[in-house]
Amino acid sequence: SQNRITKIEEALKTDKAELRKLTDEELPAAMAEVNMKKFETQSGYSVAIKKIYATNIKVEDRPEAFAWLRENGHEDLIKNIVSINFGKGDDIAVRFKTLAEEENIPVETDTKIHPMTLRAWGKEQIEKGNREALHEGINISVIDHAQITGAKK
């Protein structure tokens, strides 16, 4: 029933939050306190601290941040997107590039950076020591994450 599914989804959400707290806060803090980067239990489980990089640009900061990226040689991160909705079987899609203005077809455009591309770029900027030189709308966070690996069989 829907009620049962809702309860299961809520329990899953709670469990994920508890796991995230353990792997992103409690274990890294405890291991840092004893100057430890990894360990293995007698039963074969291993825990290793890995850095996770997250980079994002809020929608309201995109125009200025994208301009900054372009001005600072990172324009290849930005993808230009043109999107048009055509009716089923409509062959105008093939002719669109040359006929869009003549046909008065509404066109939506957007510029985006793929999340994985932005994350990799953010990691690169941190590793190069460029964090302070970035546009204020570009947010990069580095999280120490405890990666737990199951026992080897």
Side-chain angles (χ1 to χ4, degrees), residues 75-103:
E75 60 277 347
D76 56 327
L77 295 173
I78 303 167
K79 306 298 176 218
N80 293 302
I81 299 160
V82 176
S83 177
I84 306 165
N85 295 318
F86 293 100
K88 194 172 187 177
D90 197 344
D91 72 342
I92 195 167
V94 178
R95 301 181 303 127
F96 174 73
K97 189 172 183 181
T98 55
L99 299 177
E101 290 179 3
E102 295 173 16
E103 299 289 332

Side-chain angles (χ1 to χ4, degrees), residues 51 65 92 131:
K51 295 222 179 278
I92 195 167
R131 184 182 210 148

Side-chain angles (χ1 to χ4, degrees), residues 64-65 68-69 71-72 74 121 125-126 128-140:
E64 287 182 16
W68 182 91
L69 287 166
E71 291 165 10
N72 287 275
H74 304 290
W121 178 83
Q125 297 311 303
I126 292 290
K128 287 181 175 179
N130 293 341
R131 184 182 210 148
E132 300 304 317
L134 299 178
H135 184 274
E136 64 186 32
I138 300 172
N139 305 303
I140 302 176

Side-chain angles (χ1 to χ4, degrees), residues 6 13 34-35 63 105 108 123 129:
T6 301
K13 185 177 178 180
V34 294
N35 202 26
I105 299 169
E108 294 176 27
K123 177 182 178 186

Side-chain angles (χ1 to χ4, degrees), residues 7 23 28 31 36 39-40 51-52 59 63 70 80 107 109:
K7 285 181 181 179
T23 59
M31 290 173 69
M36 184 183 296
F39 70 88
E40 188 171 322
K51 295 222 179 278
I52 294 179
V59 173
R70 286 183 182 102
N80 293 302
V107 177
T109 61

